[in-house]
Amino acid sequence: MERFIKRQATLTQYRQGVLGKFLDLFAKSLSEQGYTRRTACEHLRVAAQFSNWLKCKRIPVGKITSGHVTDYLRARGECSKNGHARALRQLLSLLRQECVIKEETIPVASGIERLIDEFDHYLRTVRGAAAKTAIHYTWFVRHFLRDRFRRADPDLSRVGAEDIIGFVHRQASFYGNRQTQ
């Protein structure tokens, strides 16, 4: 890690989190892949911050999943910062290769999640929606579908105006009118 980061205080700080002892390995991997000093430093900074977040959440190394990356990025409001997500995906991939964390099985998406993925793709590619807009719209639609269909596979032909109106009214009373507009 010293190849990229010169300040001893920064090195010490980076090594204090849950993943601290693996950041040297991550730095070596970034170097071998030909990352510039600037990009590698940014990846290491993001990894160190994630490591500290894990420490605060009391998540041990062996229990880390990609879901934690999603939670971390969402908590920091960095869902749309692709470089941060990419850096953390690379870190988790390295940890899997080194058998530090387990391989994840990819769950079969529920009917609702498949619809949400299609809707997100439509918003971003066909409609050209901004990332934050797509995130907000898909959040709202996901909650509507879960409210309407519970655990059953969604059948959109069974959705009526009264379903949507009722849902919007319930959300407006819970979140306030501004959030549901």
Side-chain angles (χ1 to χ4, degrees), residues 37-87:
R37 182 176 187 275
R38 180 178 173 206
T39 303
C41 285
E42 179 66 11
H43 278 32
L44 289 166
R45 182 184 65 78
V46 170
Q49 289 173 341
F50 177 60
S51 178
N52 287 328
W53 180 84
L54 291 167
K55 183 178 178 182
C56 289
K57 297 287 183 181
R58 295 190 169 121
I59 299 167
V61 174
K63 299 290 184 185
I64 298 170
T65 67
S66 57
H68 293 115
V69 169
T70 303
D71 294 345
Y72 166 76
L73 293 172
R74 190 174 292 134
R76 297 197 36 108
E78 297 179 359
C79 295
S80 63
K81 291 189 179 176
N82 235 358
H84 293 189
R86 184 173 42 252

Side-chain angles (χ1 to χ4, degrees), residues 6-179:
K6 305 299 181 201
R7 292 185 60 223
Q8 190 60 41
T10 303
L11 289 167
T12 302
Q13 182 184 10
Y14 281 16
R15 289 183 173 125
Q16 288 178 353
V18 171
L19 299 172
K21 64 183 177 181
F22 302 103
L23 293 184
D24 285 308
L25 183 63
F26 187 45
K28 181 181 177 204
S29 173
L30 295 171
S31 177
E32 289 170 354
Q33 293 175 58
Y35 277 84
T36 64
R37 182 176 187 275
R38 180 178 173 206
T39 303
C41 285
E42 179 66 11
H43 278 32
L44 289 166
R45 182 184 65 78
V46 170
Q49 289 173 341
F50 177 60
S51 178
N52 287 328
W53 180 84
L54 291 167
K55 183 178 178 182
C56 289
K57 297 287 183 181
R58 295 190 169 121
I59 299 167
V61 174
K63 299 290 184 185
I64 298 170
T65 67
S66 57
H68 293 115
V69 169
T70 303
D71 294 345
Y72 166 76
L73 293 172
R74 190 174 292 134
R76 297 197 36 108
E78 297 179 359
C79 295
S80 63
K81 291 189 179 176
N82 235 358
H84 293 189
R86 184 173 42 252
L88 295 176
R89 278 195 310 268
Q90 284 179 273
L91 175 62
L92 292 191
S93 177
L94 178 67
L95 294 174
R96 285 186 192 102
Q97 287 172 2
E98 297 294 319
C99 298
V100 175
I101 62 174
K102 295 178 184 175
E103 289 287 334
E104 291 181 57
T105 56
I106 300 171
V108 176
S110 70
I112 290 174
E113 289 307 314
R114 279 192 304 273
L115 283 174
I116 293 301
D117 288 345
E118 290 173 19
F119 182 56
D120 183 63
H121 176 76
Y122 168 79
L123 288 172
R124 292 174 192 248
T125 58
V126 177
R127 303 298 300 178
K132 284 190 177 188
T133 300
I135 289 168
H136 177 73
Y137 284 17
T138 56
W139 178 91
F140 203 80
V141 170
R142 178 179 286 110
H143 283 81
F144 168 73
L145 292 173
R146 286 180 180 163
D147 180 72
R148 173 62 180 82
F149 294 105
R150 306 281 179 227
R151 300 197 189 284
D153 264 351
D155 178 4
L156 297 181
S157 66
R158 295 180 51 209
V159 175
E162 64 280 355
D163 296 317
I164 297 169
I165 291 168
F167 178 76
V168 170
H169 282 296
R170 286 189 300 281
Q171 295 299 305
S173 66
F174 185 74
Y175 290 106
N177 290 333
R178 182 158 167 67
Q179 177 86 13

